[in-house]
Each structure stands twice: as structure tokens, then as C-alpha cells.
Amino acid sequence: TKAGSDVVAKEGRGKITLKCGSNEFAIDGVCGAVTALEKTDIVVKDYNVAAKVFTISFNTAQLPEAKTYKTTKSNLEDEDPNHVVIGFSDLRQTNPMNWDSDDATGNISFTATGNEIKCTFTNLKLKPSMLFNKGELNNDATISGELNFFKP
């Protein structure tokens, strides 16, 4: 969907699992894409807790193609259209936590059939946010999941 427009696509779905130490967190919910300011974000928002989201951020206004992208650390100056930043956030007031990709996270691949775009990934490594994550949660995590969304 283009930000500020009335163009809406069929609702997609995503299921994401993050493991950090002995803890496991899940996001199961609606998935879609938003384009704004020449960037595209794919977002999976949990059905039950709106503050739990998984994101894939692209350096282009185009929806992902059927190919593999390199995950990187967030860098506002990075304009490489083959780079993406992924993140897992649970920002509820009681115990906020966040993990993001870095330059050693790995790769993430997409497939496309007609208007449907799919992505499946396993055991990608994410770095914790020192601002939010406390105790055992201030460690690296692995993330796995699958998602699909649709072009408008």
C-alpha cells in the first residue's frame, strides 16, 4: 500500500518466532507492506498485542522481488536496494524489548507468484537493543518465520 493513498491490498499473514536464551517470543498476525519516503517496510503486527511487530525495511520504494536480500545493520546512508534491515519489537510498557539485524545476520529470500509475495527464513541472528533489553534478554537472539502479503 502506498502511504497516503486509498490503494489497499488483500490482507497477508505472518508468524514469527524469536528465541533468546531460555525465552521464546512469537508474533502471529496480519502482514502487509507500506511505502513512504522512497522506502518500503513489510510489517507483521500481532493479532492480540499491537505493540508486538516484526519489520523488514527496504532501501527502495519497490515491493521486494523474487530474490535474496542481504540483511544489514540500520544505516540511514545505505541506499543499496539489495540490503534490508529486520527487527523484532515488543514495546509494551511492562517489559519493552527489541532486536535488530546487523551486517552478519545473513540473507532473506522472497518468492512471488502473481500478486502474492512470500518469505520464509530460519535462525537469523539478531542483536539486542541496549536501551530496552534487560538481563537475559540483553543477548543475541535467533529469529525464524514465514510471511506472505499481496500487491495491490
Side-chain angles (χ1 to χ4, degrees):
T1 299
K2 289 217 179 260
S5 75
D6 293 329
V7 179
V8 177
K10 179 180 170 183
E11 185 175 285
R13 181 176 173 132
K15 185 161 184 162
I16 313 297
T17 303
L18 180 131
K19 295 179 183 178
C20 180
S22 63
N23 298 287
E24 183 171 301
F25 304 98
I27 295 174
D28 184 7
V30 65
C31 179
V34 176
T35 299
L37 302 173
E38 298 303 314
K39 305 284 183 182
T40 298
D41 291 310
I42 298 169
V43 179
V44 179
K45 183 180 81 167
D46 191 73
Y47 283 128
N48 297 314
V49 181
K52 288 172 47 176
V53 295
F54 170 76
T55 57
I56 305 172
S57 299
F58 295 81
N59 294 324
T60 176
Q62 304 302 313
L63 290 175
E65 299 175 21
K67 68 178 192 177
T68 299
Y69 295 82
K70 178 174 177 23
T71 57
T72 63
K73 182 177 184 173
S74 181
N75 177 352
L76 295 176
E77 295 177 12
D78 184 357
E79 295 181 4
D80 189 327
N82 297 307
H83 289 174
V84 297
V85 175
I86 63 174
F88 184 104
S89 299
D90 183 342
L91 298 178
R92 289 180 279 182
Q93 295 287 331
T94 56
N95 189 22
M97 52 193 147
N98 184 72
W99 289 266
D100 291 303
S101 59
D102 71 3
D103 294 339
T105 296
N107 298 307
I108 192 163
S109 297
F110 290 82
T111 59
T113 306
N115 284 342
E116 184 176 23
I117 300 172
K118 292 183 179 184
C119 177
T120 303
F121 51 94
T122 305
N123 293 327
L124 295 177
K125 290 185 175 37
L126 299 182
K127 296 290 184 186
S129 165
M130 293 169 136
L131 177 66
F132 293 114
N133 299 30
K134 305 296 182 217
E136 185 182 8
L137 300 178
N138 196 19
N139 287 295
D140 291 356
T142 58
I143 192 165
S144 300
E146 56 185 50
L147 56 91
N148 75 307
F149 61 100
F150 297 87
K151 298 176 188 177

